């Protein structure tokens, strides 16, 4: 069958660009998900994390430098009275030194002060992903009003600032909750990993300081959507694969939610989780359950970065809800922290490329920094003059949203060439990784770390701008196609905003439906 004129024209245009460039407490739409792949299952022996944040707000890339803080420094944490479970902000002590890290930031979750983060990776290769994980309604109901403590974004950020290993990240979360409490919209998990292992940490509503953590090993694959933990031993103190708050088992017994004499295993989901979700491995939310996503990922073993990008961009789980995409490789053989590598898609990766960034990058192009598009309060305030030059630039998030909306308007016909172009662009970047990283390491070995930083910054920044130019070419080609071939369909209703349904790239509700 002859390919449509649009497809061949679009591929030629992209090729030219590349050549020249060389729930009760929240909505499912604001949820986030995460992948973990153990080192025995990856192509290069690294531990790999992937996933996305699912927030309405715009997202932008930040590289936060290491910092020293005075002895009396504090940080503000918690939620405000506007949160679904109202709270009060509190001040807690800051540590003397915080580590360098990279993250995607965003602004809007009601009652959770911006900027917010789902996590990222720090200079010790400790990576964090945040994922919703609802608690049972009784815990939500018993949460103090106002609630006080650290919320999910506070914990993710502090782990990046302070943790040298994944296990230490778990311990930091536990200690902070014990000292200052946990503020929540109903429950949360954090997936924390380093080059050796991963941990799932589930923090619960209720104001009781309840949390539990499960270790993930070198041959594990785990997908969280929602986050959760299943059966655990009751003798937690003597099991190196689990950590928990001191009251974790006792409180369940006290409430009558678990009977040690029953002989039944302690299933965290069944005891403390949302009772309407009986199987968090197959909750019936997206077309691919976490269990199916895990199976698809394991089937790719040995998993490469390109493989995990394919999983993260799967249209059965990625749509307009997805604020960005992320893939991180945590490499035990890495010789310098400046070469810690992160792949970020500036918005939902179903129609946006993963761009490479290193922790040694010194600044992010304005086109990938914060803009007003979908940023909290932009519709009710004017632009701060301090931001006028940055706001005047193109914004990658908005450009690739356009690509998504066009491609998803006719996914059977328009999504395949878009996916092919994104994958080809990423493959070109991957082909450059060896010489870029070897050159940077050579410069560092010669004592010229500044030159290594300049190289990494130049390559990552220019490549990201090339991706943006490609995105604009794609959007214009898709624009022409939708004008000339199928025509355009004007909206029938009067409401432009919604939580359900949202835009997706599923043909007839399922990408596997035959032609």
């Amino acid at each position: 069958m002859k390919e449509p004129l649009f497809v061949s024209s679009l591929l030629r245009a992209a090729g030219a660009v590349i050549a020249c460039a060389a729930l009760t407490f929240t909505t499912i739409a604001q949820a986030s998900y995460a992948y973990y792949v153990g080192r025995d299952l990856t192509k290069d022996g690294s531990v790999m994390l992937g996933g996305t944040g699912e927030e309405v707000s715009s997202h932008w890339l930040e590289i936060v430098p290491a910092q020293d803080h005075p002895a009396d420094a504090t940080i503000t944490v918690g939620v405000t009275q506007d949160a679904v479970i109202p709270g009060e902000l509190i001040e807690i002590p800051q540590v003397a030194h915080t580590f360098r890290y990279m993250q995607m930031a965003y602004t809007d979750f009601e009652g959770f002060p911006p900027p917010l983060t789902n996590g990222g990776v720090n200079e010790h290769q400790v990576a964090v992903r945040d994922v919703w994980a609802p608690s049972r309604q009784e815990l939500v109901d018993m949460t103090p009003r106002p609630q006080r403590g650290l919320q999910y974004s506070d914990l993710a950020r502090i782990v990046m600032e302070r943790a040298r290993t994944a296990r230490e990240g778990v311990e930091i979360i536990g200690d902070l909750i014990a000292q200052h409490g946990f503020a929540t919209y109903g429950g949360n998990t954090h997936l924390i990993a380093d080059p050796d292992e991963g941990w799932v940490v589930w923090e619960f509503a209720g104001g009781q300081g309840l949390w539990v953590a499960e270790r993930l090993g070198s041959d594990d694959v785990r997908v969280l959507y929602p986050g959760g933990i299943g059966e655990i031993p009751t003798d937690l103190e003597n099991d190196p694969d689990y950590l928990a708050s001191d009251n974790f088992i006792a409180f369940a017994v006290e409430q009558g939610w678990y009977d040690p004499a029953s002989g039944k295993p302690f299933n965290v989901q069944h005891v403390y989780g949302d009772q309407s979700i009986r199987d968090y491995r197959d909750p019936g939310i997206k077309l691919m359950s976490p269990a199916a996503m895990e199976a698809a990922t394991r089937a790719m073993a040995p998993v490469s970065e390109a493989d995990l990008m394919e999983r993260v961009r799967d249209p059965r789980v990625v749509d307009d809800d997805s604020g960005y995409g992320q893939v991180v490789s945590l490499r035990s053989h890495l010789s310098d922290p400046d070469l810690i590598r992160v792949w970020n898609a500036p918005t939902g990766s179903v129609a946006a490329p993963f761009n490479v960034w290193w922790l040694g990058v010194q600044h992010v192009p304005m086109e990938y920094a914060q803009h007003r598009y979908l940023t909290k309060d932009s519709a009710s305030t004017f632009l701060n003059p301090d931001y006028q030059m940055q706001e005047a630039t193109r914004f990658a998030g908005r450009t690739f949203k356009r690509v998504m909306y066009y491609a998803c308007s006719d996914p059977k016909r328009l999504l395949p060439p878009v996916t092919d172009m994104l994958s080809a662009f990423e493959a070109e970047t991957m082909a450059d990784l060896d010489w870029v990283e070897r050159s940077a390491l050579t410069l560092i070995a010669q004592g010229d770390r500044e030159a290594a930083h300049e190289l990494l910054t130049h390559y990552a920044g220019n490549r990201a701008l090339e991706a943006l130019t490609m995105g604009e070419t794609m959007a214009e080609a898709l624009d022409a196609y939708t004008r000339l071939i199928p025509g355009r369909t004007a909206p029938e209703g009067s409401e432009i905003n919604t939580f359900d349904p949202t835009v997706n790239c599923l043909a007839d509700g399922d990408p596997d439906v035959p032609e």
Side-chain angles (χ1 to χ4, degrees):
M1 180 178 178
K2 186 178 180 181
E3 70 179 3
L5 176 62
F6 157 72
V7 174
S8 58
S9 299
L10 186 54
L11 289 172
R12 285 198 302 271
V17 171
I18 294 172
C20 293
L23 315 26
T24 301
F25 33 82
T26 187
T27 63
I28 296 300
Q30 299 187 18
S32 306
Y33 71 91
Y35 289 81
Y36 168 89
V37 185
R39 63 186 181 185
D40 289 350
L41 301 175
T42 62
K43 189 172 183 178
D44 65 353
S46 65
V47 168
M48 297 178 65
L49 257 63
T52 187
E54 298 202 345
E55 301 87 20
V56 177
S57 164
S58 70
H59 295 76
W60 67 95
L61 181 65
E62 290 185 341
I63 302 174
V64 182
Q67 299 178 63
D68 293 316
H69 306 278
D72 58 350
T74 62
I75 52 177
T76 302
V77 300
V79 302
T80 72
Q81 62 183 1
D82 296 324
V84 173
I85 304 177
E88 292 181 348
L89 300 177
I90 62 173
E91 298 286 322
I92 68 170
Q94 179 59 287
V95 294
H97 179 79
T98 51
F99 303 137
R100 181 177 177 84
Y101 62 94
M102 186 186 307
Q103 66 175 10
M104 291 292 279
Y106 60 100
T107 60
D108 191 18
F109 197 88
E110 195 65 31
F112 287 65
L116 298 162
T117 184
N118 303 121
V121 64
N122 74 10
E123 64 185 83
H124 294 284
Q125 292 200 88
V126 176
V128 187
R129 301 291 317 146
D130 149 75
V131 181
W132 66 294
S135 308
R136 64 186 298 153
Q137 190 60 42
E138 293 93 330
L139 287 172
V140 176
D141 293 341
M142 71 175 63
T143 303
R145 273 79 165 167
Q147 59 174 331
R148 299 177 183 85
L150 295 92
Q151 33 93 338
Y152 71 92
S153 176
D154 298 326
L155 293 172
R157 185 188 69 252
I158 289 174
V159 167
M160 291 188 291
E161 289 180 342
R162 303 181 185 182
R164 295 175 182 271
T165 67
R167 186 184 181 97
E168 185 179 14
V170 177
E171 293 168 344
I172 287 170
I173 286 176
D175 289 344
L176 288 170
I177 291 175
Q179 294 178 46
H180 307 291
F182 177 56
T184 181
Y185 53 79
N188 210 79
T189 50
H190 288 88
L191 176 56
I192 310 175
D194 61 26
D196 294 318
E197 63 183 13
W199 287 81
V200 178
V201 192
W202 194 349
E203 308 103 6
F204 295 88
Q208 305 299 314
L210 294 167
W211 64 272
V212 64
E214 175 190 9
R215 179 181 174 273
L216 304 177
S218 59
D219 60 349
D220 284 326
V221 174
R222 181 65 60 88
V223 178
L224 304 180
Y225 193 95
I229 294 173
E231 294 182 5
I232 65 170
T234 54
D235 186 14
L236 293 170
E237 293 183 359
N238 296 315
D239 195 316
D241 292 333
Y242 296 92
L243 294 167
S245 56
D246 292 340
N247 62 341
F248 192 73
I249 303 297
F251 186 77
V253 174
E254 176 187 317
Q255 296 298 308
W257 299 337
Y258 176 70
D259 180 6
S262 68
K264 295 181 179 179
F266 192 106
N267 186 302
V268 178
Q269 167 65 39
H270 296 165
V271 173
Y272 281 126
D274 184 344
Q275 301 299 287
S276 69
I277 304 176
R278 294 310 300 167
D279 183 1
Y280 73 96
R281 311 307 306 136
D282 189 9
I285 297 168
K286 299 233 179 188
L287 285 182
M288 283 190 79
S289 68
M293 293 157 74
E294 288 174 5
T297 305
R298 186 177 288 275
M300 291 176 145
V303 179
S304 67
E305 289 179 324
D307 291 332
L308 192 52
M309 289 176 197
E310 181 182 339
R311 291 272 62 83
V312 171
R313 112 174 342 131
D314 193 309
R316 289 168 290 186
V317 294
V318 176
D319 47 30
D320 196 24
D321 298 351
S322 307
Y324 63 95
Q326 189 173 88
V327 169
V328 182
S329 292
L330 307 171
R331 298 171 281 171
S332 59
H333 55 277
L334 189 68
S335 59
D336 193 280
D338 280 338
L339 274 297
I340 294 171
R341 188 168 69 222
V342 182
W343 298 87
N344 274 313
T347 188
S349 55
V350 69
F354 287 95
N355 293 313
V356 68
W357 305 92
W358 291 274
L359 206 59
V361 169
Q362 297 301 290
H363 58 81
V364 175
M366 286 186 177
E367 290 84 350
Y368 286 79
Q370 185 178 12
H371 284 66
R372 281 168 62 83
Y373 173 70
L374 294 183
T375 291
K376 186 178 178 66
D377 297 330
S378 293
S380 56
T381 58
F382 293 103
L383 178 69
N384 182 340
D386 185 42
Y387 277 74
Q388 64 183 354
M389 185 58 67
Q390 184 162 296
E391 184 63 21
T393 66
R394 301 173 295 171
F395 180 40
R398 177 68 180 114
T399 293
F400 287 104
K401 281 284 191 182
R402 290 185 63 208
V403 175
M404 178 189 298
Y405 296 151
Y406 279 129
C408 292
S409 70
D410 189 357
K412 281 186 180 180
R413 189 177 303 180
L414 304 184
L415 184 60
V418 167
T419 302
D420 288 344
M421 292 163 61
L422 298 175
S423 298
F425 187 87
E426 292 154 359
E428 282 201 339
T429 305
M430 290 177 183
D432 287 339
L433 293 181
D434 184 61
W435 74 259
V436 173
E437 294 186 350
R438 279 192 295 105
S439 298
L441 287 173
T442 298
L443 291 168
I444 291 170
Q446 293 173 348
D448 198 346
R449 188 173 293 274
E450 182 177 348
H453 288 166
E454 291 175 358
L455 170 62
L456 297 173
T457 303
H458 176 80
Y459 182 88
N462 281 0
R463 192 64 178 159
L465 294 177
E466 291 163 8
L468 179 53
T469 299
M470 180 185 68
E472 291 176 330
T473 301
M474 296 166 71
E476 293 309 311
L478 290 160
D479 176 80
Y481 181 81
T482 56
R483 281 191 295 109
L484 296 174
I485 305 302
R488 293 183 173 180
T489 304
E492 298 178 355
S494 60
E495 296 294 328
I496 194 171
N497 298 315
T498 183
F499 275 114
D500 184 30
T502 57
V503 171
N504 65 65
C505 274
L506 300 176
D508 298 330
D510 190 329
D512 296 324
V513 171
E515 297 289 340

